[in-house]
Amino acid sequence: MIKTLVLTSSKNYRWMSMQEIIPFITESWLRLNSDEHIVEVVDVDKDNIFKRMKEIISFDNIVCTCFTVEISRTIATFRKVLGMEFKTFFYVHGQATIGLWPLLKWAGDDYLTSNDYLVVSCERDIDCLNLAFKGAKVMLHPFLLGPQYKIDKSQKNSNFIYIGRVSEQKNLHSIILAIKLIEKQMREHHSKFTIIGGTDDLGTPVTGTLPIKYLEYLKNLVSDLSLNDLIEFRGHIDREQFNTILSDQNAIFISSSLHSDENFGVAPYQYLKAGGRGILSDWGGYAQFKDFFEGIDYLDVYQSSHGHFSDISQIARVMEKRLSNTSTIKELDHSLNSYLATISDAANKEYQKDFDIVCATDFAKKILRDREDFYKNTKSDDRNHGAQIFTCFKDQGLHQLTKAYGAKYFKKNNSSSDLIVLPMVELKDHHILITDPHRGSFEISRMAGVEKAYRTFREEAIILTDKEVEYLFGLGYVISFS
């Protein structure tokens, strides 16, 4: 008989998606419960696990549904202090793109062995983990949460909808700028873009980029670009309102997210599963949806010396195509059972006493060292205190992870005469000032070259040299659109 202990916690419930994901993981393991495989669940927030040591010492597997300091320390104590022998199934969630530094810090460099499994929700997390713990056993368990609503496919329209956190990393400003490029066509199709969700006021923690009152920024941008009739902000809604709104319409879900730990995407998955259509960035967990649905429009994510970005002209073209294209998404055959079968096989494998330690790579160790330095050198009341691991968006460590997550190098093609300069660009004395809600503010030195007037989103002229335009084009701050 195999015995599995599932450790769970509600400490990560401040993220709405985790309120569904963690119970989903727990229920997935409970589905394996049988006469031959006993599965028990312990909530570490409520139960003193050490009072049950006589019982727990006989378990073959311990599942960590999420990371908390308490869970990691408990597992490390079981193994290092008490000498217990068991396999661990550790659900990584957003840690793949931060080098697993919390696990490394609180469980230790010698915690992970060849008996253990890191469990991820998308294949690109696997690519990221190879940078941090090369050789670790990794298992795929997507969060295939069924929706509580069904979209009426007969109610086809050309509206767009976003559901999720209103955060700089979600890159909603790029969608708004794209709408400015196709505002005429959207008005002709009576199309609107609705944003549903509350703010998180986090900025970009991994780079220490502070929040900028993003919702206010977006509303000002909509007003400045005269798009108030095309874009609506609905704010946070509860689950009942959410189900009602989505079942009553068949808008196109759009997300150009650049979030550093977009490891799945429950909201878009449920929307597509319910029969909706979608436009998603080819990024992290979103890319996994190619295995589940056919007909999603994907938006490229590009890498540059100043971090990753979306091509706003591509967003505009894809949205414009969808205005008149009412084709539906085809759901491909995918079942949770196939993933559970793989998990069951791993849980039933015999514990190997002759195991190897899976050590952290130099890449992961550097992330932890840098994190500790940032932690010491930032104020305790700093919004990103303890979360920063990269110097800025130019950090090569970040570039390695974003490449693994799907970012590709931009093909420069600024020969077109239809070039537009983004509102983030401003001339200041002897430099160019970039004020980007996602990548932060930074300066670029002026470059000699042939000067020319280029148009902006506000139909104003800005004088730049050809060398400056070429450089800004490669960063995504000058686009080509006609």
Side-chain angles (χ1 to χ4, degrees):
M1 178 188 295
I2 299 296
K3 296 181 70 177
T4 296
L5 179 66
V6 179
L7 301 181
T8 187
S9 169
S10 59
K11 286 192 174 179
N12 289 329
Y13 278 15
R14 66 185 180 123
W15 307 116
M16 180 173 276
S17 59
M18 295 299 275
Q19 296 174 23
E20 295 183 86
I21 288 170
I22 293 176
F24 167 81
I25 294 170
T26 302
E27 289 299 320
S28 295
W29 279 89
L30 285 172
R31 285 176 62 174
L32 302 179
N33 194 37
S34 66
D35 293 339
E36 292 78 32
H37 187 171
I38 302 300
V39 179
E40 291 190 21
V41 179
V42 170
D43 185 336
V44 297
D45 301 331
K46 300 175 181 177
D47 300 324
N48 187 336
I49 197 168
F50 289 98
K51 289 183 177 180
R52 300 178 58 186
M53 286 307 303
K54 288 184 180 179
E55 174 188 355
I56 290 171
I57 202 166
S58 65
F59 278 81
D60 304 283
N61 308 297
I62 295 183
V63 179
C64 304
T65 61
C66 59
F67 175 85
T68 69
V69 174
E70 291 78 10
I71 287 179
S72 61
R73 283 177 173 167
T74 297
I75 298 298
T77 300
F78 284 170
R79 182 167 280 172
K80 298 176 184 179
V81 179
L82 302 177
M84 291 172 58
E85 295 180 343
F86 54 84
K87 303 192 298 292
T88 301
F89 292 79
F90 180 79
Y91 280 78
V92 171
H93 298 293
Q95 288 201 39
T97 48
I98 58 173
L100 278 177
W101 74 255
L103 185 67
L104 189 57
K105 176 177 173 62
W106 280 290
D109 186 26
D110 58 347
Y111 163 79
L112 202 62
T113 77
S114 54
N115 281 308
D116 302 319
Y117 293 84
L118 298 174
V119 188
V120 299
S121 53
C122 69
E123 291 178 356
R124 289 188 180 172
D125 270 358
I126 299 175
D127 296 333
C128 291
L129 287 174
N130 282 334
L131 295 171
F133 281 85
K134 199 168 185 65
K137 289 181 179 177
V138 184
M139 182 174 294
L140 188 63
H141 184 191
F143 306 136
L144 306 182
L145 284 150
Q148 299 173 24
Y149 58 90
K150 196 70 179 175
I151 291 171
D152 183 358
K153 294 182 182 181
S154 67
Q155 300 295 321
K156 290 180 182 177
N157 57 56
S158 301
N159 291 325
F160 298 91
I161 192 170
Y162 166 82
I163 306 155
R165 285 184 288 132
V166 177
S167 162
E168 290 90 337
Q169 291 193 80
K170 294 295 186 175
N171 196 28
L172 292 164
H173 53 281
S174 289
I175 300 176
I176 291 171
L177 291 174
I179 289 173
K180 181 62 179 177
L181 297 176
I182 59 169
E183 60 177 322
K184 178 182 176 182
Q185 295 91 324
M186 286 190 64
R187 289 190 177 99
E188 289 174 350
H189 284 84
H190 307 288
S191 176
K192 288 191 175 184
F193 176 41
T194 301
I195 298 172
I196 297 176
T199 58
D200 64 11
D201 296 319
L202 291 175
T204 306
V206 294
T207 58
T209 307
L210 297 175
I212 60 161
K213 295 183 178 178
Y214 189 54
L215 179 59
E216 183 179 329
Y217 171 89
L218 294 177
K219 289 181 176 179
N220 289 337
L221 182 62
V222 169
S223 181
D224 289 346
L225 297 178
S226 301
L227 298 175
N228 297 82
D229 61 318
L230 297 178
I231 299 172
E232 177 187 16
F233 295 88
R234 291 291 297 268
H236 174 75
I237 59 175
D238 61 30
R239 172 58 68 181
E240 186 175 344
Q241 291 174 303
F242 180 84
N243 293 339
T244 301
I245 288 172
L246 299 187
S247 61
D248 287 347
Q249 62 175 298
N250 189 9
I252 302 157
F253 190 108
I254 181 167
S255 175
S256 56
S257 176
L258 301 173
H259 202 283
S260 59
D261 59 347
E262 197 70 78
N263 57 297
F264 192 70
V266 170
Y269 174 80
Q270 291 184 326
Y271 194 81
L272 295 168
K273 180 77 174 175
R277 297 162 289 163
I279 301 171
L280 302 173
S281 48
D282 192 357
W283 181 246
Y286 285 179
Q288 196 70 38
F289 294 175
K290 297 171 186 174
D291 292 344
F292 311 141
F293 306 99
E294 187 178 278
I296 301 171
D297 288 303
Y298 274 103
L299 306 169
D300 294 323
V301 176
Y302 292 104
Q303 187 68 279
S304 78
S305 58
H306 285 272
H308 53 295
F309 65 94
S310 297
D311 179 6
I312 290 169
S313 61
Q314 184 196 26
I315 298 174
R317 291 187 181 97
V318 172
M319 292 180 74
E320 184 179 16
K321 180 187 76 173
R322 275 291 176 183
L323 288 173
S324 55
N325 183 348
T326 57
S327 60
T328 58
I329 297 290
K330 177 184 177 182
E331 183 175 351
L332 303 176
D333 183 30
H334 66 284
S335 169
L336 179 61
N337 291 335
S338 61
Y339 296 103
L340 291 182
T342 303
I343 290 172
S344 180
D345 288 344
N348 280 282
K349 284 185 178 179
E350 187 176 343
Y351 178 88
Q352 300 297 315
K353 293 182 180 292
D354 184 19
F355 59 81
D356 295 320
I357 299 294
V358 181
C359 295
T361 63
D362 291 341
F363 177 83
K365 291 176 182 177
K366 183 179 185 305
I367 285 180
L368 178 57
R369 285 197 307 271
D370 290 346
R371 184 266 174 188
E372 297 299 281
D373 288 341
F374 288 126
Y375 184 79
K376 293 174 185 175
N377 296 321
T378 55
K379 297 177 181 178
S380 59
D381 60 349
D382 190 305
R383 186 72 181 181
N384 291 321
H385 187 63
Q388 184 176 0
I389 57 175
F390 301 117
T391 307
C392 62
F393 276 88
K394 296 179 73 173
D395 195 303
Q396 290 303 306
L398 177 60
H399 290 191
Q400 285 181 265
L401 286 166
T402 52
K403 181 181 178 182
Y405 230 41
K408 58 188 75 172
Y409 281 97
F410 199 37
K411 295 179 181 179
K412 295 184 180 181
N413 181 23
N414 62 322
S415 58
S416 169
S417 59
D418 299 305
L419 296 178
I420 309 173
V421 181
L422 268 58
M424 296 86 163
V425 179
E426 188 179 357
L427 300 183
K428 289 283 188 180
D429 299 326
H430 302 294
H431 61 264
I432 300 171
L433 176 64
I434 304 296
T435 308
D436 188 330
H438 176 227
R439 290 182 272 179
S441 298
F442 56 93
E443 296 178 356
I444 300 170
S445 299
R446 298 300 303 265
M447 303 174 189
V450 180
E451 289 188 341
K452 183 180 174 181
Y454 295 89
R455 68 186 175 108
T456 69
F457 271 71
R458 297 182 179 92
E459 298 299 332
E460 299 168 345
I462 184 170
I463 306 298
L464 296 167
T465 69
D466 54 346
K467 295 296 183 184
E468 291 167 340
V469 167
E470 180 181 6
Y471 188 73
L472 291 170
F473 194 92
L475 300 181
Y477 295 120
V478 172
I479 63 170
S480 174
F481 191 84
S482 57

